[in-house]
Amino acid sequence: MFGTVVVGVGIAGLARIRDLMNPMPSSPSEHLKLFGFVSRRSFGNINEAKQISLEDALRSKEIHAAFISTENRSHEETIRMFLEAGKHVLVEYPMALSAKAARELWEMAEQKDKVLHVEHIELLTEEYKQLKKEVAGKDLVKGTLHFTGSVLDENKAGFPAFSGIARLTWLIDLFGDLTVTSATREKQKDKNYSRMTVHFQTANK
C-alpha cells in the first residue's frame, strides 16, 4: 500500500478524503492508504480519517505522497516542504503563482526523483473528452469563453488570472500554445465586482 496524506480540507480536499476512503473497485486508488489529513483548523476526524500535524506528515516514513488542496498562495511552500521530506506530490492547479517558481519546483522534484503532478480533473471528464473530439482537426477562427464565479480573496487565491487558469489549460490542450495579445481588468468596489478580459492568439494567428 502507498501511504498518503491530504493537506487542506476545502471542497477539493474533502473530495480527496472521500475518494481515498472509498476507492472505486479495481482502480489505482485501491493501492493508496490514507493516513490522515492536515489542516490549520481543528477537526479531529472527518469520515474516519484522522487529523495529523504537518510535522508528523512530513516525518512519517509510512506516508509516501501528499495531496495538496490548500489555497493557491500556499501551494509553492507546501510542495517544497513535502519534496524536501522525500514525498511525491499531487497538487491542485495552479502549482505556483509564477512560472519561475513552477520551474524551480519541477527541477527540485527531478533532483529528488519524486513525482510532482498538477491535477486538473476537468480534463479527465467525459464532457471534456467529447469537446476535444469535436475540435480535433479543425482550425480555430475565433471564439469566446465566458465564465463567472464569486469574488476571490486575492491574498489567498493570488492575482485574478489564476481563478481562470483552469480554462486557460483547456484552451492550450485544445488549440496548442497561445500568446496573450491584450488583457484588461475592470473593478467596481462598491458592487464587489471584478472582470478580467484576455485576448489570445494561436500559433497560426
Side-chain angles (χ1 to χ4, degrees), residues 128 140 145 166-176 178 200:
Y128 181 80
L140 176 66
L145 181 63
R167 276 60 185 190
L168 177 57
T169 309
W170 279 28
L171 294 176
I172 291 173
D173 188 57
L174 291 170
F175 304 113
L178 302 171
F200 298 103

Side-chain angles (χ1 to χ4, degrees), residues 89 94 113 174 177 186 201:
V89 175
D113 197 26
L174 291 170
D177 287 344
E186 173 191 347
Q201 208 169 55

